[in-house]
Amino acid sequence: MAELLTAPEYAALAQRITLPTQAFIDGAFVPSVSGRSFATRNPATGQVLTEITACDSRDVDIAVAKAKAAYADGRWHRLAPGARKTILLRFADLLEEHAHELAVMESLDSGKPIRECQNTDIPESIHTIRWHAELIDKIYDNTAPVGSDTVALVVREAIGVVGLVLPWNFPLLMLAWKIGPSLAAGCSIVVKPAKETTLTALRVAELAYQAGVPAGVFNVLPGGGKDVGEPLGMHMDVSMVSFTGSTDTGRLFLKYAADSNLKRVVLECGGKNPAVVMKDVEDIDQVAQHIVNGAFWNMGENCSASSRLIVHADIKDALLERVGLHMREWKMGNPLDPQNRLGAMVSEAHFNKVRSYIEQAAREELNVAFGGDTAEGAFIQPTVVDDVGRDSMLFKEEIFGPVLTVTTFNSLDEAIALANDTVYGLAASVYTSSLKHAFRLSRDIRAGVVTVNCFGEGDITTPFGGYGESGFGGRDKSIWAHDQYTELKTIWIDVSGDA
């Protein structure tokens, strides 16, 4: 992991970096067919960083054609597994060499604190690529038990051309979660980064090509959802789409698949995640630290954020006191200053959306226990809203910002009912010193990831995805992520007869 620089060093690096501005197709940066562009802004300052090529359906057709040609001639998927592994490991090494540059790009483009980019997003992205690279020559195909007259092989094949549609909250890490297993499987990929956060995807594609990923295998198309996402979802030569983003947009990709070639769709969408705190917790201060981290990490712009604190009524006041103390450690300000743990909302539009929920709390006459203010630019203080009932908009809707709601319970069954009172089912956390309570809560809460006595998402070895409107169709991370980028084929060979 690269060491943190100082704020002046990061500022100087930001001035020196050459930002990518064009689409990456067939191993080269190219302008869009239309010649149009859009401005990408630093959300912390509102200043334009650069103008980026705006692609549309014609660029999608070109990129998919190049990806299809690369798949058809086997320049990537027919390489020996060890050869693909070597290239992807070289790719990870290049990412590590450019860690500071990528961290600054990510921070400038998204408003994320540089300390999070440098300490978490970049090293985790590199680790993800290495982990999936190492898995390439360790996944075995199978034979079926069919008797001596037949040999039955069950083999995996890369699914073909895949579209990878990214969110703006973890631009580089979500890219890594998708390109790791898809490239390891041998697919050709067309990436659509979020329009708000395009820079690192373009630079990563260039580094992959430099590492030896063949031209046409890794393509990146900047642009809006209507211009790039929809034609990618509708394209007859795209065999699969992996999407991370809002539930509403995820629904569209199901429609695109139904209206085109019934392509496989994997969705990782929203979350309204509970943190259930029983009154038997042993270390309330440690619980408070996890609650604050879970709610405010990445400014709450996190689909697995602990956005609903569901706490036993007997310990609510004591826990909130400790939460307030730990919130003081979360300094907000210039994202390029590594002393700051909270940066800006990703855009003015998202800032206004999150602020509207704080205004809604006032309309509902809820108690804002901590925070609630905004700062110049797209900055919102970490905010805790107390006494939130299950009928409140703040309890039901995904805010996707630094807003934690607090709801109390008096029995285990009531806690489970509150935790499951949501259309989502992505993540949850449970805090208790009772093994029985831990098992009951983790089993009965309907979520794809449940952590006990901590906040987190597991690691690269564990699958990530959710229930209900949080998505379906597959999982990111782990060995299971490879399944969604491959097809299973049965090869049945008759070996009966005389020798």
Side-chain angles (χ1 to χ4, degrees):
M1 182 170 60
E3 293 185 2
L4 283 171
L5 304 178
T6 64
E9 286 173 327
Y10 280 121
L13 183 55
Q15 293 297 316
R16 296 197 305 269
I17 289 176
T18 300
L19 302 177
T21 62
Q22 294 184 316
F24 194 84
I25 300 175
D26 201 28
F29 285 114
V30 295
S32 62
V33 173
S34 69
R36 293 186 297 111
S37 65
F38 62 91
T40 187
R41 295 180 180 273
N42 180 343
T45 65
Q47 295 177 342
V48 173
L49 292 168
T50 190
E51 292 281 332
I52 295 184
T53 289
C55 295
D56 61 24
S57 61
R58 292 167 293 181
D59 304 289
V60 173
D61 288 342
I62 294 169
V64 171
K66 296 297 184 181
K68 182 180 179 182
Y71 185 80
D73 66 24
R75 69 188 73 166
W76 180 244
H77 75 88
R78 287 184 185 144
L79 285 180
R84 290 204 308 277
K85 170 181 165 180
T86 297
I87 290 171
L88 289 185
L89 289 175
R90 190 182 307 135
F91 172 37
D93 290 343
L94 279 177
L95 294 175
E96 193 161 46
E97 289 177 23
H98 293 271
H100 287 309
E101 172 194 351
L102 291 167
V104 169
M105 276 189 189
E106 193 87 326
S107 181
L108 289 173
D109 213 16
S110 67
K112 294 167 66 76
I114 191 69
R115 63 183 287 160
E116 293 295 340
C117 298
Q118 193 82 68
N119 288 340
T120 303
D121 294 26
I122 306 302
E124 284 298 315
S125 298
I126 295 167
H127 177 58
T128 296
I129 300 300
R130 286 193 174 125
W131 194 87
H132 286 291
E134 288 288 357
L135 202 58
I136 291 174
D137 57 5
K138 298 173 183 66
I139 298 179
Y140 285 74
D141 290 326
N142 298 279
T143 60
V146 294
S148 59
D149 290 340
T150 306
V151 174
L153 306 177
V154 182
V155 300
R156 296 177 183 85
E157 293 182 351
I159 198 169
V161 178
V162 301
L164 306 177
V165 183
L166 307 179
W168 46 253
N169 59 330
F170 290 94
L172 183 52
L173 187 55
M174 296 302 98
L175 175 67
W177 280 14
K178 296 183 188 301
I179 65 176
S182 59
L183 289 176
C187 298
S188 295
I189 62 177
V190 179
V191 177
K192 185 220 167 293
K195 194 173 181 181
E196 295 89 343
T197 52
T198 301
L199 297 176
T200 49
L202 292 169
R203 182 66 173 124
V204 165
E206 181 183 26
L207 292 173
Y209 179 67
Q210 291 176 9
V213 175
V217 172
F218 190 157
N219 309 277
V220 180
L221 300 179
K226 194 72 176 173
D227 293 329
V228 178
E230 181 175 344
L232 193 60
M234 289 289 293
H235 208 289
M236 298 298 289
D237 290 329
V238 173
S239 299
M240 178 260 192
V241 167
S242 177
F243 168 82
T244 298
S246 72
T247 299
D248 287 344
T249 305
R251 294 180 196 277
L252 294 177
F253 279 96
L254 295 178
K255 294 179 181 178
Y256 301 153
D259 291 342
S260 58
N261 59 347
L262 290 180
K263 59 177 59 65
R264 185 182 299 173
V265 177
V266 175
L267 302 178
E268 196 275 281
C269 300
K272 190 66 176 174
N273 312 295
V276 178
V277 183
M278 303 297 292
K279 69 176 179 180
D280 60 17
V281 291
E282 293 178 345
D283 189 338
I284 199 166
D285 186 71
Q286 187 177 64
V287 172
Q289 289 184 61
H290 284 298
I291 295 298
V292 170
N293 186 45
F296 304 128
W297 174 50
N298 202 51
M299 295 75 68
E301 295 173 333
N302 180 12
C303 55
S304 62
S306 299
S307 56
R308 291 186 296 148
L309 173 57
I310 299 173
V311 56
H312 197 284
D314 290 354
I315 63 166
K316 183 194 79 169
D317 291 342
L319 179 59
L320 286 189
E321 180 183 2
R322 301 306 304 173
V323 165
L325 290 174
H326 286 292
M327 286 174 64
R328 297 176 186 174
E329 302 165 9
W330 286 67
K331 185 179 177 184
M332 182 173 70
N334 176 13
L336 286 182
D337 185 342
Q339 299 301 313
N340 293 327
R341 300 181 71 176
L342 290 160
M345 298 289 97
V346 72
S347 66
E348 183 180 359
H350 189 62
F351 167 83
N352 289 332
K353 177 199 170 192
V354 175
R355 183 175 60 181
S356 73
Y357 282 98
I358 298 173
E359 294 168 349
Q360 176 65 24
R363 286 192 290 271
E364 294 184 17
E365 298 182 344
L366 299 173
N367 174 29
V368 177
F370 305 105
D373 292 331
T374 61
E376 185 177 352
F379 291 86
I380 293 180
Q381 279 187 336
T383 300
V384 177
V385 184
D386 195 6
D387 300 323
V388 178
R390 62 200 306 172
D391 294 328
S392 170
M393 284 177 56
L394 279 75
F395 185 89
K396 294 180 177 180
E397 298 181 10
E398 185 180 34
I399 299 173
F400 219 64
V403 179
L404 172 67
T405 65
V406 182
T407 306
T408 58
F409 67 89
N410 290 289
S411 70
L412 182 62
D413 287 341
E414 185 184 5
I416 293 169
L418 286 167
N420 287 333
D421 189 11
T422 175
V423 297
Y424 299 109
L426 185 57
S429 55
V430 171
Y431 300 89
T432 177
S433 62
S434 163
L435 190 60
K436 289 182 179 180
H437 287 162
F439 270 97
R440 171 81 190 281
L441 287 161
S442 59
R443 290 291 190 182
D444 286 0
I445 293 175
R446 293 188 53 78
V449 178
V450 180
T451 58
V452 179
N453 292 329
C454 62
F455 165 76
E457 298 172 350
D459 64 11
I460 188 60
T461 67
T462 57
F464 182 81
Y467 295 8
E469 293 188 19
S470 288
F472 68 94
R475 291 291 190 263
D476 287 316
K477 301 195 306 174
S478 80
I479 193 171
W480 284 276
H482 285 244
D483 292 346
Q484 61 209 28
Y485 297 105
T486 60
E487 294 280 20
L488 279 183
K489 175 180 283 187
T490 296
I491 301 176
W492 186 274
I493 305 171
D494 184 351
V495 294
S496 63
D498 295 333

